[in-house]
Amino acid sequence: MSLINRVYVENVGAHVGEEVELRGWLYNKRSSGKIRFLLMRDGTGIVQGVMVKGSVPDEVFERFDALTQESAFGLKGKVRKEDRAPGGYELEVSDVVIYSIAHEYPIAPKEHGVEFLADRRHLWLRSSRQHAIMRVRHRIIKAIRDFFDERGFTLLDSPILTPAACEGTTTLFETEYFDLGKAYLTQSGQLYAEAGAMAFGKVYCFGPTFRAEKSKTRRHLSEFWMVEPEVAFADLNDDMDLAEEFLEYIVQSVLRDRERELKVLERNTTFLQNVKCPLPRITYDEAVEILKRKGVAFEWGNDFGGTDETIISEQFDRPVMVHRYPAQVKAFYMKRDPENPNLALAVDVLAPEGYGEIIGGSQREDDLDTLIRRIQEHQLPQEAFEWYLDLRRYGTVPHAGFGLGIERTVAWICGLDHVRETIPFPRMIYRLTP
RNA sequence: UCCGCGAUAGCUCAAUGGUAGAGCAUGCGGCUGUUAACCGCAGGGUUGCAGGUUCGAGUCCUGCUCGCGGAGCCA
């Protein structure tokens, strides 16, 4: 049996009446004496095999007794449409092949605490809920790559080890780098993506990013994935056009191809169906007005906190773009609004239902002298940014881009209450294992 | 770093300051359509750690460790 022709659970419906062989792990088993049910999980789904005493040799019938939860085994038998079976199909078992008997499996088919499961993340990934989440994550990432690919973007990945802070704000993970002193794990690939945009016009980078902040919330990981497009000859409006088209593409792809998974997750997709262009665009000032109207004591000039973002996003039935923030709360490389130099040409996209900021972007400062002044104002070491300043010395153009956090996007689309379930092996302040 | 909550069987939890228990899991037995199957029996505990109050502490007090949620920071 070649890999190509192997039958997997997700395809058994195409083999009704045929004798097939499935390979997988025991999800659960049930018995009523002379009739026995084996539930096999093979990574694509779960199907039940049924054996009646006398319909198979006794030695095959008795292998049921040896199989423990998560034991690896093969099932041979004829596929039958059966409404009483989970999934609608079942296997009339003719043979059972045991590959390995599992030790007592710690994750029983019942409720467990988060800590217990997190300690066994390598096993937890086998459960149907985690399986559904990872399948959605995969589809989101494929949609991201397809989106940029279809629009002529070039993938240009940025380095993970960097000589200095990209934005000079957050705490970074530090390591020794041979004889060259300290290196830092990247917190953003954006500056390198800008170099890419000047070389290729439209690029994106997509990789892990690291923040050593001691954040302890349901929205933070110390290692997370971010996709960052960067486009030459683009302003803030172009950036927002790209972001809304991007979000619509991702969400609609998942709705179309991951209906089953969203059902497993019991996700109410009402808000997701609404994610279609155009998305509402409001200014920072208008967002502040919303907060004031809702009785929030908010001072102009601050950045929004988690609860502020929730209140703002609750006013809309789809993600909302908030643009033109006070420059003081944004990064040094963001261009100022020519009509009001106190404002940065920045945009944050806030997801509905309290999921917060999933995209942060801006038009970049393209003037050499202004950018040097910003670096000085932020007290950043100019020599570390000389290569970045070169981008303004040699053919500078208006350009813009944004970053989308994968884990927050997965949490939002799946309707999860914590990002720790959105990545196979989460890294958090108090968790480095497994 | 700050604020709040928590830790009891392998797991999820219960137990007015007075004999530490249930469900699930595991083992054994039963059941010819099970759906986190069901029914019966059995084994399973240094109540996170250290100290204190008390005739008596899982329960009250102090300290510590670990975890969870939130703030700040951010995607």
Side-chain angles (χ1 to χ4, degrees), chain A residues 85-104:
Chain A
Y89 299 95
E90 70 180 14
L91 221 59
E92 283 177 63
V93 175
S94 59
D95 197 11
V96 175
V97 185
I98 294 177
Y99 293 108
S100 69
I101 296 298
H103 296 207
E104 186 180 331

Side-chain angles (χ1 to χ4, degrees), chain A residues 189-201:
Chain A
Q190 183 212 306
L191 269 46
Y192 296 96
E194 287 185 51
M198 299 307 138
F200 295 87

Side-chain angles (χ1 to χ4, degrees), chain A residues 102-173:
Chain A
H103 296 207
E104 186 180 331
Y105 193 64
I107 302 177
K110 54 159 290 189
E111 286 176 20
H112 293 278
V114 170
E115 189 189 348
F116 177 83
L117 291 168
D119 283 339
R120 292 156 186 80
R121 181 62 171 166
H122 49 293
L123 303 176
W124 188 18
L125 288 169
R126 301 179 185 192
S127 64
S128 54
R129 184 180 159 79
Q130 299 307 310
H131 193 263
I133 294 168
M134 289 307 137
R135 297 255 306 160
V136 172
R137 179 188 171 100
H138 170 82
R139 188 63 189 88
I140 288 170
I141 290 170
K142 176 173 156 50
I144 287 167
R145 296 203 182 274
D146 288 347
F147 178 86
F148 290 124
D149 207 37
E150 289 167 12
R151 283 160 185 77
F153 282 70
T154 299
L155 173 69
L156 196 98
D157 283 321
S158 53
I160 287 168
L161 290 165
T162 59
C166 285
E167 305 183 13
T169 50
T170 55
T171 317
L172 304 185
F173 289 103

